[in-house]
């Protein structure tokens, strides 16, 4: 591998004022600090060679953006450029931001990345010990990082902000962007509050999480989604729960807050994260048989 030069360090690349085109960016979650190298004089094959051979980053998840096409095109390589055949191509088009569209993206991230073990290593796995149903301690941040990357694709004119501190607390995800009717006005479209539901805590000891704790976490999530929406002046908000417990109970985790959430206009959604691909396959078979 050739020696990689130091590159340029930018500490506020999420402010919308840092020129990003024609450069290779090395970033991590959250995407607000990054180091970059110019690739403006390289063709497509040379870009791959630079990333794989010079930078030694061929196994890292990568995104290639080509604005020259109509519509502009974004290619996502979840296993890195060394696995170029594993690529998702997305046309980058300006579209209306609403909660249904946002949750549709979350649903796709769940199906393709989060549902079962296999998340790209650079973002970290979700399970510290899947055999004992123990998530990693900061599983919520891993989910948040995947969602931030995915939400930036269908809404390229928007900013996907994370971990912002406001009077009610630290919000998980906010999507802001220009008003389609007034380009000089910025709107906070959606706030997402994320919760990880777990049967056991991470760590060397297997310590169970009590049902009452789950009830409290979900209840707090509804309050947070509502309060953050008010504080940010957002149009819509949702509580997104990622259920990593041994047994998936579906939407029953919302039974005690359903009426309250409806009154506060907070959307409730839940996705199950399976501890093994075998468990995921068995669930798919079970669901298919149940529908017949």
């Amino acid at each position: 591998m050739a020696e990689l030069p130091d590159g340029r360090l930018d500490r506020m690349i999420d402010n919308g004022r840092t020129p990003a085109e024609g450069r290779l960016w090395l970033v991590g979650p959250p995407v607000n600090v990054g180091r970059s190298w110019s690739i403006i004089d390289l063709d497509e094959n040379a870009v791959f060679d630079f990333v794989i051979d010079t930078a030694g980053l061929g196994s890292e998840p990568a995104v290639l953006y080509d604005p020259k096409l109509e519509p502009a095109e974004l290619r996502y390589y979840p296993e890195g450029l060394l696995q170029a055949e594993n690529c998702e191509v997305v046309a980058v088009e300006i579209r209306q931001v609403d909660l249904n569209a946002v949750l549709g993206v979350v649903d796709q991230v769940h199906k393709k990345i989060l549902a079962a073990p296999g998340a790209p290593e650079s973002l970290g796995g979700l399970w510290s010990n899947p055999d004992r149903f123990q998530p990693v301690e900061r599983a919520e941040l891993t989910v948040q990082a995947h969602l931030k990357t995915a939400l930036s694709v269908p809404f390229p004119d928007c900013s996907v902000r994370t971990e912002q501190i406001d009077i009610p607390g630290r919000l998980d995800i906010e999507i802001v962007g220009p008003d389609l009717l007034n380009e000089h006005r910025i709107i906070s479209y959606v706030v997402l509050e994320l919760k990880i539901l777990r049967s056991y805590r991470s760590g060397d000891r297997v310590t169970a999480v009590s049902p009452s704790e789950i009830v409290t976490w979900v209840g707090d999530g509804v309050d947070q989604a509502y309060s953050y929406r008010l504080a940010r002046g957002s149009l819509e908000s949702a509580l997104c729960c990622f259920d990593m417990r041994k047994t998936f109970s579906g939407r029953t985790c919302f039974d005690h807050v359903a009426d309250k959430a409806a009154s506060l206009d907070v959307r409730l959604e839940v996705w199950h994260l399976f501890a093994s691909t075998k468990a995921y396959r068995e669930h798919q078979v079970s669901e298919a048989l149940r529908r017949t």
Side-chain angles (χ1 to χ4, degrees):
M1 183 179 70
E3 183 176 351
L4 186 66
D6 290 339
R8 187 184 80 194
L9 178 64
D10 288 286
R11 296 180 175 85
M12 296 178 63
I13 61 177
D14 59 336
N15 63 9
R17 295 190 295 270
T18 302
E21 65 277 4
R23 305 190 69 81
L24 164 68
W25 287 91
L26 182 61
V27 298
V31 185
N32 51 24
V33 177
R35 190 173 294 276
S36 66
W37 297 263
S38 176
I39 54 174
I40 195 167
D41 296 324
L42 304 182
D43 62 22
E44 287 85 351
N45 288 326
V47 169
F48 273 71
D49 292 339
F50 183 86
V51 172
I52 295 170
D53 299 325
T54 304
L57 300 172
S59 298
E60 302 298 325
V63 175
L64 290 182
Y65 173 61
D66 189 350
K68 299 187 294 294
L69 301 176
E70 185 61 42
E73 184 178 271
L74 187 146
R75 292 172 176 254
Y76 175 50
Y77 300 86
E79 297 179 351
L81 299 187
L82 275 172
Q83 303 294 329
E85 67 280 359
N86 184 6
C87 171
E88 180 178 350
V89 181
V90 180
V92 180
E93 301 177 278
I94 305 302
R95 56 187 289 195
Q96 179 68 43
V97 181
D98 61 42
L99 189 53
N100 285 334
V102 169
L103 293 176
V105 174
V106 178
D107 193 54
Q108 288 302 307
V109 172
H110 170 257
K111 289 178 180 177
K112 296 180 179 181
I113 299 177
L114 301 177
E121 288 299 319
S122 65
L123 288 182
L126 288 168
W127 298 94
S128 62
N129 191 328
D131 293 335
R132 299 193 298 186
F133 292 92
Q134 289 180 287
V136 296
E137 184 175 354
R138 307 187 75 185
E140 186 176 294
L141 289 182
T142 300
V143 171
Q144 181 192 80
H146 281 294
L147 295 183
K148 178 170 184 176
T149 299
L151 288 167
S152 300
V153 176
F155 310 117
D157 56 335
C158 292
S159 174
V160 182
R161 301 173 177 175
T162 59
E163 296 297 301
Q164 294 191 98
I165 299 176
D166 211 317
I167 292 176
R170 186 189 300 269
L171 66 84
D172 290 321
I173 293 178
E174 179 190 19
I175 302 176
V176 303
D179 185 345
L180 295 183
L181 300 179
N182 182 356
E183 62 181 10
H184 301 293
R185 179 177 177 231
I186 299 298
I187 293 179
S188 176
Y189 285 101
V190 172
V191 164
L192 300 181
E193 174 63 23
L194 312 180
K195 293 294 181 186
I196 299 291
L197 310 183
R198 58 189 78 199
S199 294
Y200 302 102
R201 307 183 197 282
S202 59
D204 295 334
R205 296 179 58 188
V206 181
T207 306
V209 174
S210 68
S212 63
E213 288 180 277
I214 300 293
V215 167
T216 298
W217 291 346
V218 173
D220 287 346
V222 173
D223 294 347
Q224 289 166 315
Y226 174 71
S227 296
Y228 296 152
R229 189 181 80 224
L230 287 187
R232 309 301 293 187
S234 303
L235 300 182
E236 299 177 285
S237 63
L239 169 62
C240 299
C241 290
F242 297 88
D243 195 340
M244 302 181 73
R245 292 177 293 178
K246 291 177 64 175
T247 303
F248 182 44
S249 59
R251 297 184 61 84
T252 60
C253 62
F254 297 133
D255 285 350
H256 65 295
V257 296
D259 292 341
K260 179 181 181 180
S263 298
L264 297 176
D265 198 21
V266 172
R267 180 89 162 261
L268 303 175
E269 296 293 341
V270 61
W271 295 267
H272 191 59
L273 310 188
F274 295 86
S276 68
T277 53
K278 182 176 185 294
Y280 180 49
R281 291 194 302 270
E282 290 174 347
H283 172 76
Q284 288 180 306
V285 171
S286 175
E287 286 296 295
L289 294 175
R290 183 180 63 83
R291 291 192 294 264
T292 57

